[in-house]
Structures are given as C-alpha cells and as structure tokens.
C-alpha cells in the first residue's frame, strides 16, 4: 500500500524559507507527478505545483517566483521550498501523487505556521 | 483560472438518505478532467471520482458522479455514518493552476 509522509518544521519566521520533504513508500518517484497542495485556515485547497522524474513541472502562477519542487530518486523523496514566506503562507501542507491530474494518494498533512 | 463554486455549503441529512452535491465551473470543463474528493475530520482528502464518473479504487458504488460543461454532480445514494464529511470538487482541464471548490459539508441531521 502506497504511503506518503511529509516532514519539516511547523514554524517558520517571516521572510525565511519554508522547506518540507515528502517520503514515498510503496511506489517509486520515477513515475507519476509529485505534487504539493495546501489549505490555509478556513479556505479551500490550493494546488502549489508538481514535478516529475522526466523533468516536467509546473507551478501556481501566484507562487511561481517563490517555489521549487524537486525529486530525489536516491531517497524516494520529493521536496518543497517556498521562499520569502509571509503569514499568508500559513496552511496545512499536503504532498500527493498526481495521476492524469487527479490526486490519488495524499499525505496526512502538516500545519506550517509563519510567525516571528 | 477556472473558479469552482459548490452548493449547498452545508447539507444536513440522516443516514440512509440520498445526498446530491453540486459544483459549477466559471467556464466549461472537459468532463474527462473533473474529480471529487472526500475529507473526513483530521484526515487527508481521499479521491472518490475522477474523469467525472469513474470511481477510484476501493470506492463503494453508492458514490456516483455525473455532469458536463460547467455543471457537475456527486450523488451518494444512501448515506452511511462514515460518509458525513466535507466534499471537494476539482478540475484538471485548464492549468496551471489545478483548482478546487470551497467544499460542501455533509452533516448528520
């Protein structure tokens, strides 16, 4: 059974970089699309972006200048880096597998708070 | 960006009743690229329906999806206790970005 587990700090200071890692078990990151999605408090889910082993990637235009998603096949992980964070980046962050655009496996989610 | 609107915001029903949830898109969406998710409290979203009508692996047949163009529907034929949750629609036709609806909460009446 495939599982995804995110890890990283739950508190990030304004203007710093938010970094999260998603460990994939039961599947290889060499196939499919690996995605980050977030949910700010009281708001709808927001797709952040995806990357794939083949190098195909795309990001939400509103975040594109600040975000990078990378894949590490040696550890079967993928990661999210979001620069210059503000309080508006406070959210539950999920990692997920994309399959033709729908997301068929998700992590449990981790709350990241941006605060000094 | 395609904006999705869901109605109603909250649906109060009893176990065994039928639930009908709606999602409307701000522009036409290819029905091949439309999905529904369920999120129970404290859990991650779970894919229910993809391609507007196809149940994901392990999803019971009381869940069904329909629709085309700008109007899509998720139907739960007979509510079970575990079905009381929040349901989100999603389009993956025109991206970036992939977009989600605001959700419909199905509460126990």
């Amino acid at each position: 059974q495939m599982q995804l587990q995110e890890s990283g700090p739950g508190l990030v200071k304004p203007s710093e970089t938010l970094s999260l890692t998603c460990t994939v078990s039961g599947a290889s990151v060499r196939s499919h699309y690996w995605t980050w999605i977030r949910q700010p408090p009281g708001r709808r889910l927001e797709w952040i972006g995806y990357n794939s082993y083949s190098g195909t990637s795309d990001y939400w235009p509103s975040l594109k200048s600040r975000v990078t998603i990378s894949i590490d096949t040696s550890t079967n992980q993928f990661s999210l880096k979001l620069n210059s964070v503000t309080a508006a980046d406070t959210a539950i962050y999920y990692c997920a597998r994309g399959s033709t655009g729908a997301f068929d496996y998700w992590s449990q989610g981790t709350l990241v708070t941006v605060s000094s | 960006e395609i904006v999705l609107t869901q109605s109603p915001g909250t649906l109060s029903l009893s176990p065994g009743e039928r639930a009908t949830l709606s999602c409307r898109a701000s522009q036409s969406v290819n029905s091949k690229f439309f999905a529904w998710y369920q999120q129970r409290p404290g859990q991650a979203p779970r894919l229910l329906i993809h391609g507007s009508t196809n149940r994901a692996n392990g999803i019971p047949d009381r869940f069904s999806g329909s629709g085309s163009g700008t109007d899509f529907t998720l139907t739960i034929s007979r509510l079970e206790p575990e079905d009381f949750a929040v349901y989100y629609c999603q389009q993956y036709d025109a991206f970036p970005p992939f977009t989600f609806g605001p959700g419909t909460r199905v509460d126990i009446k």
Side-chain angles (χ1 to χ4, degrees), chain A residues 46-80:
Chain A
E46 296 177 346
W47 171 78
I48 297 170
Y50 72 78
N51 200 347
S52 69
Y53 175 65
S54 65
T56 304
S57 65
D58 216 340
Y59 300 103
W60 186 15
S62 297
L63 295 177
K64 193 168 187 175
S65 64
R66 299 195 289 129
V67 66
T68 303
I69 296 173
S70 55
I71 294 175
D72 187 341
T73 56
S74 67
T75 58
N76 215 43
Q77 296 174 327
F78 63 105
S79 63
L80 169 71

Side-chain angles (χ1 to χ4, degrees), chain A residues 39 44 47 94 100-101 103 107, chain B residues 4 37 39 44 88 92 100:
Chain A
Q39 187 168 30
R44 68 182 71 191
W47 171 78
Y94 298 96
T100 67
F103 307 112
S107 64
Chain B
L4 300 178
Y37 299 83
Q39 187 174 31
Y88 297 97
Y92 44 105
F100 294 86

Side-chain angles (χ1 to χ4, degrees), chain B residues 11-82:
Chain B
L11 195 54
S12 296
L13 294 168
S14 300
E17 289 193 296
R18 181 184 188 90
T20 302
L21 289 67
S22 296
C23 183
R24 176 163 289 179
S26 60
Q27 62 193 76
S28 185
V29 173
N30 186 323
S31 60
K32 292 180 183 178
F33 306 126
F34 195 87
W36 290 93
Y37 299 83
Q38 176 194 67
Q39 187 174 31
R40 295 171 178 149
Q43 296 188 16
R46 177 174 71 144
L47 178 65
L48 294 177
I49 302 284
H50 60 94
S52 75
T53 61
N54 304 301
R55 281 187 297 278
N57 291 339
I59 302 303
D61 61 7
R62 64 180 181 272
F63 292 93
S64 63
S66 64
S68 63
T70 60
D71 292 296
F72 295 85
T73 301
L74 174 70
T75 302
I76 310 170
S77 59
R78 293 172 310 278
L79 283 164
E80 297 287 340
E82 62 269 27

Side-chain angles (χ1 to χ4, degrees), chain A:
Chain A
Q1 175 71 352
M2 181 179 165
Q3 291 186 322
L4 296 91
Q5 177 66 58
E6 69 284 287
S7 57
L11 181 64
V12 182
K13 291 182 168 54
S15 80
E16 295 190 346
T17 296
L18 181 159
S19 295
L20 294 173
T21 297
C22 185
T23 300
V24 179
S25 58
S28 172
V29 295
R30 292 175 181 266
S31 66
H32 293 90
Y33 297 85
W34 303 97
T35 302
W36 289 92
I37 294 164
R38 71 183 186 180
Q39 187 168 30
R43 297 183 60 180
R44 68 182 71 191
L45 294 160
E46 296 177 346
W47 171 78
I48 297 170
Y50 72 78
N51 200 347
S52 69
Y53 175 65
S54 65
T56 304
S57 65
D58 216 340
Y59 300 103
W60 186 15
S62 297
L63 295 177
K64 193 168 187 175
S65 64
R66 299 195 289 129
V67 66
T68 303
I69 296 173
S70 55
I71 294 175
D72 187 341
T73 56
S74 67
T75 58
N76 215 43
Q77 296 174 327
F78 63 105
S79 63
L80 169 71
K81 290 191 186 302
L82 181 64
N83 303 326
S84 305
V85 297
T86 69
D89 295 310
T90 293
I92 296 173
Y93 284 77
Y94 298 96
C95 55
R97 187 179 81 167
S99 178
T100 67
F103 307 112
D104 56 358
Y105 288 92
W106 296 62
S107 64
Q108 280 298 104
T110 188
L111 175 63
V112 179
T113 301
V114 178
S115 175
S116 56

